[in-house]
Coordinates of all heavy atoms in Angstrom, one line a residue:
M346 N 15.0 -8.6 10.9 CA 15.1 -7.4 10.2 C 14.5 -6.2 11.0 O 13.6 -6.4 11.8 CB 14.2 -7.5 8.9 CG 14.8 -8.3 7.9 SD 13.7 -8.2 6.4 CE 14.8 -7.4 5.4
K347 N 15.2 -5.1 10.9 CA 14.8 -3.9 11.7 C 14.5 -2.8 10.7 O 15.3 -2.5 9.8 CB 16.0 -3.6 12.5 CG 15.8 -2.4 13.4 CD 17.0 -2.1 14.2 CE 17.0 -0.8 14.9 NZ 18.3 -0.4 15.5
L348 N 13.4 -2.2 10.9 CA 13.0 -1.1 10.0 C 13.7 0.2 10.5 O 13.6 0.6 11.6 CB 11.4 -0.8 10.1 CG 10.9 0.3 9.3 CD1 11.1 0.0 7.8 CD2 9.4 0.5 9.6
I349 N 14.4 0.8 9.5 CA 15.2 2.0 9.8 C 14.4 3.3 9.4 O 14.4 4.2 10.2 CB 16.6 2.0 9.0 CG1 17.4 0.7 9.4 CG2 17.3 3.3 9.3 CD1 17.8 0.7 10.8
Q350 N 13.8 3.2 8.2 CA 13.1 4.4 7.7 C 11.9 4.0 6.8 O 12.0 3.0 6.1 CB 14.1 5.2 6.8 CG 13.5 6.5 6.3 CD 14.5 7.2 5.4 OE1 15.6 6.7 5.1 NE2 14.1 8.4 4.9
E351 N 10.8 4.7 7.0 CA 9.7 4.4 6.1 C 9.1 5.8 5.6 O 9.0 6.7 6.4 CB 8.6 3.8 7.0 CG 7.3 3.4 6.2 CD 6.3 2.6 7.0 OE1 6.6 2.2 8.1 OE2 5.2 2.5 6.4
K352 N 8.9 5.9 4.3 CA 8.5 7.1 3.7 C 7.4 6.8 2.7 O 7.4 5.9 1.9 CB 9.7 7.7 3.0 CG 9.4 9.0 2.2 CD 10.6 9.5 1.5 CE 10.3 10.6 0.6 NZ 11.4 11.0 -0.3
E353 N 6.3 7.6 2.8 CA 5.2 7.4 1.9 C 5.4 8.3 0.7 O 5.5 9.5 0.9 CB 3.9 7.8 2.6 CG 2.6 7.6 1.9 CD 2.2 6.1 1.8 OE1 2.6 5.3 2.8 OE2 1.6 5.7 0.8
N354 N 5.4 7.7 -0.5 CA 5.6 8.5 -1.7 C 4.2 8.5 -2.4 O 3.9 7.6 -3.1 CB 6.7 7.9 -2.6 CG 7.0 8.7 -3.8 OD1 6.2 9.5 -4.3 ND2 8.3 8.6 -4.2
K355 N 3.5 9.6 -2.3 CA 2.1 9.7 -2.8 C 2.1 9.9 -4.3 O 1.2 9.5 -5.0 CB 1.4 10.8 -2.1 CG 1.1 10.5 -0.7 CD 0.3 11.5 0.0 CE 0.1 11.1 1.5 NZ -0.8 11.9 2.2
L356 N 3.2 10.4 -4.9 CA 3.2 10.6 -6.3 C 3.2 9.3 -7.1 O 2.6 9.1 -8.1 CB 4.5 11.4 -6.7 CG 4.7 11.7 -8.1 CD1 3.6 12.6 -8.7 CD2 6.1 12.3 -8.4
F357 N 4.0 8.3 -6.6 CA 4.1 7.0 -7.2 C 3.2 6.0 -6.5 O 3.3 4.8 -6.9 CB 5.6 6.5 -7.2 CG 6.4 7.4 -8.1 CD1 7.5 8.1 -7.6 CD2 6.2 7.5 -9.5 CE1 8.3 8.8 -8.4 CE2 7.0 8.3 -10.3 CZ 8.0 8.9 -9.8
N358 N 2.5 6.4 -5.5 CA 1.6 5.4 -4.8 C 2.3 4.2 -4.2 O 2.0 3.1 -4.5 CB 0.5 5.0 -5.8 CG -0.9 5.1 -5.2 OD1 -1.0 5.6 -4.1 ND2 -1.9 4.6 -5.9
R359 N 3.4 4.5 -3.5 CA 4.2 3.4 -2.9 C 4.8 3.9 -1.5 O 4.8 5.1 -1.2 CB 5.3 3.1 -3.8 CG 6.3 4.1 -4.0 CD 7.4 3.8 -5.0 NE 8.4 4.8 -5.1 CZ 9.2 5.0 -6.1 NH1 9.1 4.2 -7.1 NH2 10.1 6.0 -6.1
K360 N 5.3 2.9 -0.8 CA 6.0 3.1 0.4 C 7.5 2.8 0.1 O 7.8 1.8 -0.5 CB 5.6 2.2 1.5 CG 4.4 2.7 2.2 CD 4.2 1.9 3.5 CE 2.9 1.1 3.5 NZ 2.7 0.4 4.7
E361 N 8.4 3.7 0.6 CA 9.8 3.4 0.4 C 10.4 3.1 1.8 O 10.3 3.9 2.7 CB 10.5 4.7 -0.2 CG 10.0 5.0 -1.6 CD 10.5 6.3 -2.2 OE1 11.2 7.0 -1.5 OE2 10.1 6.5 -3.3
L362 N 11.0 2.0 1.9 CA 11.5 1.4 3.2 C 13.0 1.2 3.2 O 13.5 0.8 2.1 CB 10.8 0.1 3.5 CG 9.2 0.2 3.4 CD1 8.7 -1.2 3.4 CD2 8.7 0.9 4.6
V363 N 13.6 1.3 4.3 CA 15.0 1.0 4.5 C 15.0 0.0 5.7 O 14.6 0.4 6.8 CB 15.9 2.2 4.8 CG1 17.3 1.8 5.0 CG2 15.8 3.2 3.6
Y364 N 15.6 -1.2 5.5 CA 15.7 -2.2 6.6 C 17.2 -2.4 6.8 O 18.0 -2.2 5.9 CB 15.0 -3.5 6.1 CG 13.5 -3.5 6.2 CD1 12.8 -3.3 5.1 CD2 12.9 -3.8 7.4 CE1 11.4 -3.3 5.2 CE2 11.5 -3.8 7.5 CZ 10.8 -3.6 6.4 OH 9.4 -3.6 6.5
E365 N 17.5 -2.9 8.0 CA 18.8 -3.4 8.3 C 18.6 -4.8 8.8 O 17.8 -5.1 9.7 CB 19.5 -2.5 9.3 CG 20.9 -2.8 9.5 CD 21.6 -1.8 10.3 OE1 22.1 -0.8 9.8 OE2 21.7 -1.9 11.6
T366 N 19.5 -5.7 8.3 CA 19.4 -7.1 8.7 C 20.8 -7.6 9.0 O 21.8 -7.2 8.4 CB 18.7 -8.0 7.7 OG1 18.5 -9.3 8.1 CG2 19.5 -8.0 6.4
S367 N 20.9 -8.6 9.9 CA 22.1 -9.3 10.2 C 22.0 -10.7 9.7 O 20.9 -11.3 9.7 CB 22.5 -9.2 11.6 OG 21.5 -9.7 12.4
F368 N 23.0 -11.4 9.3 CA 23.0 -12.7 8.8 C 24.3 -13.4 9.1 O 25.3 -12.8 9.4 CB 22.7 -12.7 7.3 CG 23.6 -11.8 6.5 CD1 24.8 -12.3 6.0 CD2 23.4 -10.5 6.4 CE1 25.7 -11.5 5.3 CE2 24.3 -9.6 5.7 CZ 25.4 -10.2 5.1
S369 N 24.3 -14.7 8.9 CA 25.5 -15.5 9.0 C 25.7 -16.2 7.6 O 24.8 -16.6 7.0 CB 25.4 -16.5 10.1 OG 24.4 -17.4 9.9
G370 N 26.9 -16.3 7.2 CA 27.2 -16.8 5.9 C 27.1 -15.8 4.8 O 27.6 -14.7 4.9
T371 N 26.5 -16.2 3.6 CA 26.4 -15.3 2.5 C 25.3 -14.3 2.6 O 24.4 -14.4 3.4 CB 26.2 -16.1 1.2 OG1 24.9 -16.8 1.3 CG2 27.3 -17.1 0.9
T372 N 25.4 -13.2 1.8 CA 24.3 -12.2 1.8 C 23.0 -12.8 1.3 O 23.0 -13.6 0.4 CB 24.7 -11.1 0.8 OG1 26.0 -10.6 1.2 CG2 23.8 -9.9 0.9
P373 N 21.9 -12.5 2.0 CA 20.6 -13.1 1.6 C 20.2 -12.7 0.2 O 20.5 -11.6 -0.3 CB 19.6 -12.6 2.6 CG 20.4 -11.7 3.5 CD 21.8 -11.7 3.1
K374 N 19.6 -13.6 -0.5 CA 19.1 -13.4 -1.9 C 17.9 -12.5 -1.9 O 17.2 -12.4 -0.9 CB 18.8 -14.7 -2.6 CG 20.0 -15.6 -2.7 CD 19.7 -16.7 -3.6 CE 20.8 -17.7 -3.8 NZ 22.1 -17.1 -4.2
K375 N 17.6 -11.8 -3.0 CA 16.5 -10.9 -3.1 C 15.1 -11.6 -2.8 O 14.2 -11.1 -2.2 CB 16.4 -10.3 -4.5 CG 17.4 -9.2 -4.7 CD 17.2 -8.5 -6.0 CE 18.2 -7.3 -6.1 NZ 17.9 -6.5 -7.3
E376 N 15.0 -12.9 -3.2 CA 13.8 -13.6 -3.0 C 13.5 -13.8 -1.5 O 12.4 -13.7 -1.1 CB 13.8 -15.0 -3.8 CG 13.7 -14.8 -5.3 CD 15.1 -14.5 -5.9 OE1 16.1 -14.8 -5.3 OE2 15.1 -13.9 -7.0
E377 N 14.6 -14.2 -0.8 CA 14.5 -14.4 0.7 C 14.1 -13.1 1.4 O 13.2 -13.1 2.3 CB 15.8 -14.9 1.2 CG 16.2 -16.2 0.7 CD 17.7 -16.6 1.1 OE1 18.2 -15.9 2.0 OE2 18.2 -17.5 0.6
I378 N 14.7 -12.0 0.9 CA 14.4 -10.7 1.5 C 12.9 -10.3 1.2 O 12.2 -9.8 2.1 CB 15.4 -9.6 1.0 CG1 16.8 -10.0 1.6 CG2 15.0 -8.2 1.5 CD1 17.9 -9.1 1.0
K379 N 12.5 -10.5 0.0 CA 11.1 -10.2 -0.4 C 10.1 -10.9 0.5 O 9.1 -10.4 0.9 CB 10.8 -10.6 -1.8 CG 11.1 -9.5 -2.8 CD 10.6 -9.9 -4.2 CE 10.8 -8.9 -5.2 NZ 10.3 -9.3 -6.5
K380 N 10.4 -12.2 0.7 CA 9.5 -13.0 1.5 C 9.4 -12.5 3.0 O 8.4 -12.4 3.5 CB 10.0 -14.5 1.5 CG 9.1 -15.4 2.2 CD 9.6 -16.9 2.1 CE 8.7 -17.8 2.8 NZ 9.2 -19.2 2.8
S381 N 10.6 -12.1 3.6 CA 10.5 -11.7 4.9 C 9.9 -10.3 5.0 O 9.2 -10.0 6.0 CB 11.9 -11.6 5.5 OG 12.8 -10.8 4.8
I382 N 10.1 -9.4 4.0 CA 9.4 -8.1 4.0 C 7.9 -8.3 3.9 O 7.1 -7.6 4.5 CB 10.0 -7.2 2.9 CG1 11.4 -6.8 3.3 CG2 9.1 -5.9 2.7 CD1 12.2 -6.0 2.3
S383 N 7.5 -9.2 3.0 CA 6.1 -9.4 2.8 C 5.4 -9.9 4.1 O 4.3 -9.6 4.4 CB 5.8 -10.4 1.7 OG 6.2 -11.7 2.0
E384 N 6.1 -10.7 4.9 CA 5.6 -11.2 6.2 C 5.5 -10.1 7.2 O 4.5 -10.0 7.9 CB 6.5 -12.3 6.7 CG 6.4 -13.6 5.9 CD 7.4 -14.6 6.4 OE1 8.2 -14.4 7.3 OE2 7.4 -15.7 5.8
I385 N 6.5 -9.2 7.2 CA 6.5 -8.1 8.1 C 5.4 -7.1 7.8 O 4.6 -6.6 8.6 CB 7.9 -7.4 8.2 CG1 8.9 -8.3 8.8 CG2 7.8 -6.1 9.0 CD1 10.3 -7.9 8.6
S386 N 5.3 -6.7 6.5 CA 4.4 -5.6 6.1 C 3.0 -6.1 5.7 O 2.1 -5.4 5.4 CB 5.0 -4.9 4.9 OG 5.1 -5.8 3.8
K387 N 2.8 -7.5 5.7 CA 1.5 -8.1 5.3 C 1.1 -7.6 3.9 O -0.1 -7.3 3.7 CB 0.5 -7.8 6.4 CG 0.8 -8.4 7.7 CD -0.2 -8.1 8.7 CE 0.1 -8.8 10.0 NZ 1.2 -8.3 10.8
S388 N 2.0 -7.6 3.0 CA 1.6 -7.3 1.6 C 2.2 -8.4 0.7 O 3.0 -9.2 1.1 CB 2.2 -6.0 1.2 OG 3.6 -6.0 1.2
S389 N 1.7 -8.4 -0.6 CA 2.1 -9.5 -1.5 C 3.5 -9.3 -2.0 O 4.0 -8.2 -2.1 CB 1.1 -9.4 -2.7 OG 1.6 -10.3 -3.7
E390 N 4.2 -10.4 -2.2 CA 5.6 -10.4 -2.7 C 5.6 -9.8 -4.1 O 6.7 -9.2 -4.5 CB 6.2 -11.8 -2.8 CG 6.5 -12.3 -1.4 CD 7.2 -13.7 -1.5 OE1 8.0 -13.9 -2.4 OE2 6.9 -14.6 -0.7
D391 N 4.6 -9.8 -4.9 CA 4.5 -9.3 -6.2 C 4.6 -7.8 -6.2 O 4.9 -7.2 -7.3 CB 3.3 -9.8 -7.0 CG 3.2 -11.3 -7.1 OD1 4.3 -11.9 -7.1 OD2 2.1 -11.9 -7.2
L392 N 4.2 -7.2 -5.2 CA 4.2 -5.7 -5.1 C 5.4 -5.1 -4.5 O 5.5 -3.9 -4.3 CB 2.9 -5.2 -4.3 CG 1.6 -5.7 -4.8 CD1 0.5 -5.2 -3.9 CD2 1.4 -5.1 -6.2
I393 N 6.4 -6.0 -4.1 CA 7.6 -5.5 -3.5 C 8.8 -5.5 -4.5 O 8.9 -6.4 -5.2 CB 8.0 -6.4 -2.3 CG1 6.9 -6.3 -1.2 CG2 9.3 -6.0 -1.7 CD1 7.0 -7.3 -0.1
V394 N 9.5 -4.4 -4.5 CA 10.7 -4.3 -5.3 C 11.9 -4.0 -4.4 O 11.9 -3.0 -3.6 CB 10.5 -3.1 -6.4 CG1 11.8 -2.9 -7.2 CG2 9.4 -3.4 -7.3
I395 N 12.9 -4.8 -4.6 CA 14.2 -4.6 -3.8 C 15.1 -3.7 -4.7 O 15.5 -4.2 -5.8 CB 14.9 -5.9 -3.4 CG1 13.9 -6.8 -2.7 CG2 16.1 -5.7 -2.6 CD1 13.4 -6.3 -1.4
D396 N 15.4 -2.5 -4.3 CA 16.3 -1.7 -5.0 C 17.8 -2.0 -4.8 O 18.5 -2.2 -5.8 CB 16.1 -0.2 -4.6 CG 15.0 0.5 -5.4 OD1 14.6 0.0 -6.4 OD2 14.6 1.6 -4.9
K397 N 18.1 -2.1 -3.6 CA 19.6 -2.3 -3.3 C 19.8 -3.1 -2.0 O 19.0 -2.9 -1.0 CB 20.1 -0.9 -3.1 CG 21.6 -0.8 -3.0 CD 22.0 0.7 -2.9 CE 23.5 0.8 -2.7 NZ 23.9 2.2 -2.6
I398 N 20.8 -3.9 -2.0 CA 21.3 -4.6 -0.8 C 22.7 -4.1 -0.6 O 23.6 -4.5 -1.4 CB 21.2 -6.1 -1.0 CG1 19.8 -6.5 -1.3 CG2 21.7 -6.8 0.3 CD1 19.7 -8.0 -1.6
H399 N 22.9 -3.3 0.4 CA 24.3 -2.7 0.6 C 24.9 -3.4 1.8 O 24.4 -3.3 2.9 CB 24.2 -1.2 0.8 CG 25.5 -0.6 1.1 ND1 26.4 -0.4 0.1 CD2 26.1 -0.1 2.2 CE1 27.5 0.1 0.6 NE2 27.3 0.3 1.9
Q400 N 26.1 -4.0 1.6 CA 26.8 -4.7 2.6 C 28.2 -4.1 2.7 O 28.9 -4.0 1.7 CB 26.8 -6.2 2.4 CG 27.6 -6.9 3.5 CD 27.9 -8.4 3.1 OE1 27.5 -8.8 2.0 NE2 28.6 -9.1 4.0
V401 N 28.6 -3.8 3.9 CA 30.0 -3.3 4.1 C 30.9 -4.6 4.1 O 30.5 -5.6 4.7 CB 30.2 -2.5 5.4 CG1 31.6 -2.1 5.6 CG2 29.2 -1.3 5.4
Y402 N 32.0 -4.5 3.4 CA 32.9 -5.7 3.3 C 33.3 -6.2 4.7 O 33.8 -5.4 5.5 CB 34.2 -5.3 2.5 CG 35.1 -6.5 2.3 CD1 34.8 -7.5 1.4 CD2 36.3 -6.5 3.1 CE1 35.7 -8.5 1.3 CE2 37.1 -7.6 2.9 CZ 36.8 -8.6 2.0 OH 37.7 -9.7 1.9
G403 N 33.1 -7.5 4.9 CA 33.5 -8.1 6.2 C 32.4 -8.0 7.3 O 32.5 -8.8 8.2
A404 N 31.5 -7.2 7.1 CA 30.4 -7.1 8.1 C 29.3 -8.1 7.8 O 29.1 -8.4 6.7 CB 29.9 -5.7 8.1
K405 N 28.6 -8.5 8.8 CA 27.5 -9.5 8.7 C 26.2 -8.8 8.8 O 25.2 -9.3 9.3 CB 27.7 -10.6 9.7 CG 28.9 -11.5 9.6 CD 28.8 -12.2 8.3 CE 30.0 -13.1 8.1 NZ 30.0 -13.8 6.8
T406 N 26.2 -7.5 8.4 CA 24.9 -6.8 8.3 C 24.7 -6.2 6.9 O 25.7 -5.9 6.3 CB 24.9 -5.6 9.4 OG1 25.9 -4.7 9.1 CG2 24.9 -6.2 10.8
A407 N 23.5 -6.0 6.6 CA 23.2 -5.4 5.2 C 22.1 -4.4 5.4 O 21.2 -4.6 6.2 CB 22.9 -6.4 4.2
R408 N 22.1 -3.3 4.6 CA 21.1 -2.3 4.6 C 20.3 -2.5 3.3 O 20.9 -2.6 2.2 CB 21.6 -0.9 4.6 CG 20.6 0.1 4.8 CD 21.2 1.4 5.2 NE 21.4 1.3 6.7 CZ 21.4 2.4 7.5 NH1 21.2 3.6 6.9 NH2 21.5 2.3 8.8
I409 N 19.0 -2.6 3.3 CA 18.1 -3.0 2.2 C 17.2 -1.8 1.9 O 16.5 -1.3 2.8 CB 17.3 -4.2 2.5 CG1 18.3 -5.4 2.8 CG2 16.4 -4.6 1.4 CD1 17.7 -6.4 3.7
N410 N 17.2 -1.4 0.6 CA 16.3 -0.4 0.2 C 15.2 -1.1 -0.6 O 15.5 -1.8 -1.6 CB 16.9 0.7 -0.7 CG 18.0 1.5 0.0 OD1 18.1 1.4 1.2 ND2 18.7 2.3 -0.7
A411 N 13.9 -0.9 -0.2 CA 12.8 -1.6 -0.8 C 11.6 -0.6 -1.1 O 11.6 0.4 -0.4 CB 12.3 -2.8 0.0
K412 N 10.8 -1.0 -2.0 CA 9.6 -0.2 -2.3 C 8.4 -1.2 -2.3 O 8.5 -2.3 -2.8 CB 9.6 0.4 -3.7 CG 10.8 1.4 -3.9 CD 10.8 1.8 -5.3 CE 12.2 2.4 -5.6 NZ 12.4 2.5 -7.1
I413 N 7.3 -0.8 -1.7 CA 6.0 -1.5 -1.7 C 5.0 -0.7 -2.4 O 4.6 0.4 -2.0 CB 5.6 -1.9 -0.3 CG1 6.7 -2.7 0.4 CG2 4.3 -2.7 -0.4 CD1 6.3 -3.0 1.8
Y414 N 4.5 -1.2 -3.5 CA 3.4 -0.6 -4.3 C 2.0 -1.0 -3.8 O 1.9 -2.1 -3.3 CB 3.6 -0.9 -5.8 CG 4.7 -0.1 -6.4 CD1 6.0 -0.7 -6.4 CD2 4.6 1.1 -6.9 CE1 7.1 0.0 -6.9 CE2 5.7 1.8 -7.5 CZ 6.9 1.2 -7.5 OH 8.0 1.9 -8.0
K415 N 1.1 -0.1 -4.1 CA -0.3 -0.4 -3.6 C -1.0 -1.4 -4.6 O -1.8 -2.2 -4.2 CB -1.1 0.9 -3.4 CG -0.5 1.7 -2.3 CD -1.4 2.8 -1.9 CE -0.7 3.8 -1.0 NZ -0.9 3.5 0.4
T416 N -0.8 -1.2 -5.9 CA -1.4 -2.0 -6.9 C -0.4 -2.5 -7.9 O 0.6 -1.9 -8.2 CB -2.5 -1.3 -7.7 OG1 -1.9 -0.2 -8.3 CG2 -3.6 -0.7 -6.7
P417 N -0.7 -3.6 -8.6 CA 0.2 -4.1 -9.7 C 0.3 -3.1 -10.8 O 1.3 -3.0 -11.5 CB -0.4 -5.4 -10.1 CG -1.3 -5.8 -9.0 CD -1.7 -4.6 -8.3
E418 N -0.8 -2.4 -11.1 CA -0.8 -1.4 -12.2 C 0.2 -0.3 -11.9 O 0.9 0.1 -12.9 CB -2.2 -0.8 -12.4 CG -3.2 -1.8 -12.9 CD -3.8 -2.7 -11.8 OE1 -3.8 -2.3 -10.6 OE2 -4.2 -3.8 -12.2
E419 N 0.3 0.2 -10.7 CA 1.2 1.2 -10.4 C 2.7 0.7 -10.5 O 3.6 1.4 -10.9 CB 1.0 1.7 -8.9 CG -0.3 2.4 -8.7 CD -0.3 3.8 -9.4 OE1 0.7 4.4 -9.5 OE2 -1.4 4.2 -9.8
L420 N 2.9 -0.5 -10.1 CA 4.2 -1.1 -10.2 C 4.6 -1.2 -11.7 O 5.8 -0.8 -12.0 CB 4.2 -2.6 -9.6 CG 5.4 -3.4 -9.8 CD1 6.5 -2.9 -8.8 CD2 5.1 -4.8 -9.6
K421 N 3.8 -1.6 -12.6 CA 4.1 -1.7 -14.0 C 4.3 -0.4 -14.6 O 5.1 -0.3 -15.5 CB 3.0 -2.5 -14.7 CG 3.0 -4.0 -14.3 CD 1.8 -4.7 -15.0 CE 1.8 -6.1 -14.5 NZ 0.6 -6.8 -15.0
K422 N 3.6 0.6 -14.1 CA 3.8 2.0 -14.7 C 5.2 2.6 -14.4 O 5.8 3.2 -15.2 CB 2.7 2.9 -14.1 CG 1.5 3.0 -14.9 CD 0.7 4.2 -14.5 CE -0.6 3.8 -13.9 NZ -1.4 5.0 -13.4
V423 N 5.6 2.3 -13.2 CA 6.8 3.0 -12.7 C 8.1 2.2 -12.9 O 9.1 2.7 -13.4 CB 6.7 3.3 -11.2 CG1 7.9 4.0 -10.7 CG2 5.5 4.3 -11.0
E424 N 8.1 0.9 -12.5 CA 9.3 0.1 -12.5 C 9.5 -0.6 -13.9 O 8.6 -1.0 -14.5 CB 9.2 -1.0 -11.4 CG 9.1 -0.5 -10.0 CD 10.4 0.2 -9.6 OE1 11.5 -0.3 -10.0 OE2 10.3 1.1 -8.8
V425 N 10.8 -0.8 -14.2 CA 11.2 -1.5 -15.4 C 11.8 -2.8 -14.9 O 12.8 -2.8 -14.1 CB 12.2 -0.7 -16.2 CG1 12.7 -1.5 -17.4 CG2 11.7 0.6 -16.6
I426 N 11.2 -3.9 -15.2 CA 11.7 -5.2 -14.8 C 12.7 -5.7 -15.9 O 12.3 -6.0 -17.0 CB 10.5 -6.2 -14.6 CG1 9.4 -5.6 -13.7 CG2 11.0 -7.5 -14.1 CD1 9.9 -5.3 -12.3
N427 N 13.9 -5.9 -15.5 CA 15.0 -6.3 -16.4 C 15.3 -7.8 -16.4 O 16.1 -8.3 -17.2 CB 16.2 -5.5 -16.2 CG 16.1 -4.1 -16.6 OD1 15.3 -3.7 -17.4 ND2 16.9 -3.2 -15.9
K428 N 14.7 -8.5 -15.5 CA 15.0 -9.9 -15.3 C 14.5 -10.7 -16.5 O 13.3 -10.7 -16.7 CB 14.5 -10.4 -14.0 CG 15.0 -11.8 -13.6 CD 14.6 -12.1 -12.2 CE 15.3 -13.4 -11.9 NZ 15.1 -13.8 -10.5
K429 N 15.3 -11.4 -17.2 CA 14.9 -12.2 -18.3 C 14.8 -13.6 -17.9 O 15.6 -14.1 -17.0 CB 16.0 -12.1 -19.4 CG 16.1 -10.7 -20.0 CD 17.2 -10.7 -21.0 CE 17.4 -9.2 -21.5 NZ 18.5 -9.1 -22.5
P430 N 13.9 -14.4 -18.5 CA 13.8 -15.8 -18.1 C 15.0 -16.6 -18.5 O 15.6 -16.3 -19.6 CB 12.5 -16.3 -18.8 CG 12.3 -15.3 -19.9 CD 12.9 -14.0 -19.4
K431 N 15.4 -17.5 -17.7 CA 16.6 -18.3 -18.0 C 16.3 -19.3 -19.1 O 15.2 -19.9 -19.2 CB 17.0 -19.1 -16.8 CG 17.6 -18.2 -15.7 CD 18.0 -19.0 -14.5 CE 18.6 -18.1 -13.4 NZ 19.0 -18.9 -12.3
K432 N 17.3 -19.4 -20.0 CA 17.1 -20.4 -21.1 C 17.6 -21.7 -20.7 O 18.6 -21.9 -19.9 CB 18.0 -19.9 -22.3 CG 17.5 -18.6 -22.9 CD 18.4 -18.3 -24.1 CE 17.9 -17.0 -24.7 NZ 18.8 -16.6 -25.8
K433 N 16.9 -22.8 -21.1 CA 17.3 -24.1 -20.8 C 18.4 -24.5 -21.7 O 18.4 -24.1 -22.9 CB 16.1 -25.1 -20.9 CG 15.1 -24.8 -19.8 CD 14.0 -25.8 -19.9 CE 13.0 -25.6 -18.8 NZ 11.9 -26.6 -18.9
A434 N 19.3 -25.3 -21.2 CA 20.4 -25.8 -22.1 C 19.9 -26.7 -23.2 O 19.1 -27.6 -22.9 CB 21.4 -26.5 -21.2
E435 N 20.3 -26.4 -24.4 CA 19.8 -27.1 -25.5 C 20.8 -28.3 -25.8 O 22.0 -28.1 -25.6 CB 19.7 -26.3 -26.8 CG 18.6 -25.2 -26.6 CD 18.5 -24.4 -27.9 OE1 19.0 -24.8 -28.9 OE2 18.0 -23.3 -27.8
E436 N 20.2 -29.4 -26.2 CA 21.1 -30.5 -26.6 C 21.7 -30.2 -27.9 O 21.1 -29.7 -28.8 CB 20.3 -31.8 -26.7 CG 19.7 -32.2 -25.3 CD 18.9 -33.5 -25.4 OE1 19.2 -34.3 -26.4 OE2 18.1 -33.7 -24.6
P437 N 23.0 -30.6 -28.1 CA 23.6 -30.4 -29.4 C 22.9 -31.3 -30.5 O 22.5 -32.4 -30.3 CB 25.1 -30.9 -29.2 CG 25.1 -31.7 -27.9 CD 23.9 -31.3 -27.2
K438 N 22.8 -30.7 -31.7 CA 22.2 -31.4 -32.8 C 23.1 -32.4 -33.4 O 24.3 -32.3 -33.5 CB 21.8 -30.4 -33.9 CG 20.8 -29.3 -33.4 CD 20.5 -28.4 -34.6 CE 19.5 -27.4 -34.1 NZ 19.2 -26.4 -35.2
K439 N 22.5 -33.6 -33.6 CA 23.2 -34.7 -34.2 C 23.2 -34.5 -35.8 O 22.2 -34.2 -36.3 CB 22.6 -36.0 -33.9 CG 22.7 -36.3 -32.4 CD 22.1 -37.7 -32.0 CE 22.2 -37.9 -30.6 NZ 21.6 -39.2 -30.2
Q440 N 24.3 -34.8 -36.4 CA 24.4 -34.7 -37.8 C 24.4 -36.0 -38.5 O 24.7 -37.0 -38.1 CB 25.7 -33.9 -38.2 CG 25.6 -32.5 -37.7 CD 26.8 -31.7 -38.1 OE1 27.7 -32.3 -38.8 NE2 26.9 -30.5 -37.7

């Protein structure tokens, strides 16, 4: 991963980052990207939000927009987490 841009946003108490990465195969998942950003920036994965993974069709590179918050409270104030927990498949009821 290569850091393209880093901006300090003091209003929201966060860093806004743009990375560029190259890969082989499929586009990396958000969890994989969070893990690699946390290793690079030495911050917790819980404080990182991936906004966008932009890949040009056919290219093996992607541009990633991410935010790193300073505290979990700031993250909860600003970001809306839409991910719902997955439901387990229920067995059909016997009659």
